[in-house]
Amino acid sequence: AAPLQAAETPSLLRRMRVKEVMTPDPITVSPDEPVEVAACLLREHKIGSLPVVEHRMLAGIVTQTDLFDALIHLLGGDIRGVRVSIDLPNGLADLTALAGVLTPLLEARSGALTLSVRIDATSRRGYVRVRTSAPLILAEQLAVAGLEVSHLRLDPPAKPTRALS
């Protein structure tokens, strides 16, 4: 076949229909599927979105951006404050101590808090993201509880907005 000439492209596009370029039997998920299942399917099949199907009807579409938004929320990336990495070499015993330090923060409702913990053969570490005006006091409370803070990251202050005159 001869290569397409630039002048032929608009005519070809007018004649082409979606059915000619669509994926006829797409990989789908149900609305009740865990988020990580959708993320694994996107990664495994190297695709950017999945139709969400319920009772054989399209209920929506989940995209990579949707999953990144969920990840940011689950890891507390939408909370301005401090992110603390804590070593948990004693596994559940350390996790209990960590819960003891964090419980008063939750009870005081002083700010938002997320906790992500992984205790397995390769990692024994917890990550806490919390909105607090006293991050060094939190680090001190963790140390008093026998927990080692391996990294503490403060979010930079919000950039001031310039008033319009």
Side-chain angles (χ1 to χ4, degrees):
L4 282 177
Q5 300 298 319
E8 296 178 66
T9 303
S11 173
L12 179 63
L13 288 175
R14 279 193 298 274
R15 291 190 316 260
M16 188 173 275
R17 298 293 175 241
V18 172
K19 66 183 177 182
E20 297 172 46
V21 295
M22 71 179 204
T23 302
D25 189 21
I27 299 162
T28 64
V29 291
S30 78
D32 297 323
E33 206 69 61
V35 171
E36 62 269 22
V37 170
C40 288
L41 285 170
L42 289 176
R43 185 168 153 249
E44 177 183 337
H45 296 282
K46 296 180 170 83
I47 54 178
S49 61
L50 289 168
V52 180
V53 176
E54 185 171 35
H55 307 298
R56 300 185 58 160
M57 296 288 296
L58 182 66
I61 296 174
V62 64
T63 66
Q64 290 175 333
T65 300
D66 296 328
L67 296 175
F68 276 123
D69 288 345
L71 178 67
I72 289 166
H73 178 74
L74 289 171
L75 295 178
D78 53 349
I79 299 171
R80 292 194 58 79
V82 63
R83 182 178 187 270
V84 183
S85 302
I86 304 148
D87 293 329
L88 304 170
N90 301 312
L92 295 177
D94 288 339
L95 186 56
T96 301
L98 178 59
V101 172
L102 299 178
T103 298
L105 288 173
L106 290 173
E107 290 171 350
R109 297 186 188 268
S110 60
L113 180 139
T114 62
L115 171 63
S116 171
V117 175
R118 181 160 189 150
I119 299 175
D120 60 19
T122 59
S123 177
R124 290 177 175 264
R125 177 162 289 177
Y127 303 93
V128 175
R129 188 167 244 314
V130 63
R131 184 175 342 188
T132 178
S133 58
L136 296 179
I137 292 174
L138 173 62
E140 183 179 347
Q141 291 170 334
L142 292 166
V144 167
L147 299 168
E148 184 177 334
V149 172
S150 57
H151 187 258
L152 186 122
R153 180 184 178 273
L154 299 172
D155 287 330
K159 293 180 181 176
T161 56
R162 200 169 69 181
L164 298 175
S165 43

